[in-house]
């Protein structure tokens, strides 16, 4: 094993095929996302986890953890923005990534239009 291997490969799981671990991780993540996406109640979740061979105690633990860390629906779009900016004097560029709501995006567009108008006025003078 290389020194830059993930921690899980150094512990109890070091004898498990890394590809199999990745597939298991993807399956678990996908299941959790689907459960959250469909806002599954406890009985639906229990049925699903029983089919996955979870015992009652693990189902209860999973459900309580899911409920404690579950993000409530906002029902509002979020926009992921990437601005490619040029670093003054260097000629190189950098990306600025952020997310915003519709109102924040509209505010940003308004401010950018104002900045463009100001630059236009300055270049005419």
């Amino acid at each position: 094993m290389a020194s830059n291997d993930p921690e899980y490969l150094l512990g109890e799981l070091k004898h498990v095929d890394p590809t199999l671990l990745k597939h298991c991780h993807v399956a678990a993540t996908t299941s959790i996302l689907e459960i959250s996406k469909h806002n599954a109640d406890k009985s639906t979740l229990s049925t699903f986890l029983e089919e996955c061979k979870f015992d009652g105690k693990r189902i209860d633990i999973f459900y309580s953890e899911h409920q404690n860390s579950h993000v409530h629906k906002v029902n509002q779009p979020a926009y992921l923005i990437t601005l490619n900016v040029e670093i003054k004097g260097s000629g190189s560029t950098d990306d600025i990534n952020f997310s915003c709501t519709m109102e924040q995006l509209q505010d940003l567009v308004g401010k950018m239009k104002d900045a463009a108008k100001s630059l236009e006025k300055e270049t005419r003078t």
Side-chain angles (χ1 to χ4, degrees):
M1 303 246 162
S3 61
N4 62 351
D5 283 339
E7 238 181 85
Y8 64 82
L9 291 178
L10 304 176
E12 294 176 15
L13 301 175
K14 65 183 172 187
H15 300 292
V16 179
D17 178 23
T19 304
L20 178 62
L21 283 176
K22 288 179 185 177
H23 287 291
C24 291
H25 184 274
V26 168
T29 303
T30 301
S31 297
I32 292 168
L33 289 172
E34 286 298 313
I35 288 165
S36 297
K37 184 170 90 175
H38 296 290
N39 203 17
D41 60 8
K42 187 170 185 175
S43 67
T44 305
L45 178 61
S46 294
T47 302
F48 172 75
L49 293 175
E50 285 169 0
E51 290 173 6
C52 294
K53 309 292 188 235
F54 275 57
D55 63 23
K57 184 178 179 182
R58 284 190 176 178
I59 291 172
D60 289 339
I61 291 170
F62 186 93
Y63 183 75
S64 66
E65 288 299 317
H66 174 71
Q67 288 303 102
N68 292 340
S69 63
H70 183 70
V71 177
H72 297 285
K73 288 184 180 178
V74 177
N75 291 328
Q76 178 177 327
Y79 298 89
L80 302 175
I81 309 294
T82 300
L83 294 177
N84 184 270
V85 296
E86 184 177 324
I87 300 170
K88 186 177 180 179
S90 70
S92 62
T93 62
D94 196 13
D95 287 341
I96 299 174
N97 299 301
F98 61 95
S99 66
C100 61
T101 64
M102 173 63 88
E103 293 81 21
Q104 291 170 326
L105 182 59
Q106 289 172 335
D107 184 49
L108 175 64
V109 170
K111 288 179 180 178
M112 292 180 84
K113 285 180 180 179
D114 291 345
K117 287 177 187 175
S118 294
L119 278 173
E120 192 176 312
K121 287 180 185 177
E122 289 295 319
T123 56
R124 282 191 222 157
T125 336

